[in-house]
Amino acid sequence: NAGVMQNPRHLVRRRGQEARLRCSPMKGHSHVYWYRQLPEEGLKFMVYLQKENIIDESGMPKERFSAEFPKEGPSILRIQQVVRGDSAAYFCASSPYRASSSYEQYFGPGTRLTVT
Amino acid sequence: TQLLEQSPQFLSIQEGENLTVYCNSSSVFSSLQWYRQEPGEGPVLLVTVVTGGEVKKLKRLTFQFGDARKDSSLHITAAQTGDTGLYLCAGRKVGNQGGKLIFGQGTELSVKP
């Protein structure tokens, strides 16, 4: 039973380039979440998606960041015109349920983005 | 301001000792999870607690959810070097219709032989 898959594991981009991070949820999971972990900071929520729907994007920066979870294929977190401050570990998590009291999320290994 | 405060932030102990990590908030949570994260990896779910006063045991680890569902603790008995890692509490606030988790800043545990 494969866990949450993320690729690439490491990504280096120059300032101004685009970064695309991919996440395949666990089998049977239809809900995906993206979190960012900045150096010396905790994990911060970015966005919550179901297939073809953005449910909660309250943690997404207003500009340059977008996310999608198409009917077919992985979820994509896209960062346009990257800046040095975007350097961080980006984690994807998935769950089988919508909000329930016994709600659980399972995390992937993360993508480490470095902007030079 | 941190919605979930973890303490201590750093803990260095000898193998065989006991320890407790705390996760506190002024907000009520509908559920709370504990994760362990190793360098270069994603958080691994240890336990979920949902009922006020609930106690769950996972081998040498004991997790407790406060009666008012505002706080939680993780107690490790007879720590081993393999317990070394970053321990994170994360909760879903009552009234949050979405799925987002709010994380504490973590407790970095080092168990020395």
Side-chain angles (χ1 to χ4, degrees), chain A residues 30-54:
Chain A
S30 56
H31 303 268
V32 164
Y33 314 83
W34 285 93
Y35 294 82
R36 177 165 65 174
Q37 190 172 39
L38 290 163
E40 308 304 321
E41 291 188 22
L43 280 147
K44 303 289 186 192
F45 168 81
M46 299 182 76
V47 64
Y48 165 31
L49 311 105
Q50 293 179 31
K51 290 279 187 182
E52 301 183 284
N53 279 308
I54 297 175

Side-chain angles (χ1 to χ4, degrees), chain B residues 81-113:
Chain B
T81 55
D83 295 328
T84 293
L86 178 67
Y87 289 82
L88 297 160
C89 65
R92 194 167 66 86
K93 280 184 67 179
V94 168
N96 176 12
Q97 297 304 309
K100 73 179 183 185
L101 290 177
I102 296 167
F103 278 83
Q105 72 270 49
T107 294
E108 190 74 56
L109 172 65
S110 173
V111 182
K112 301 187 186 314

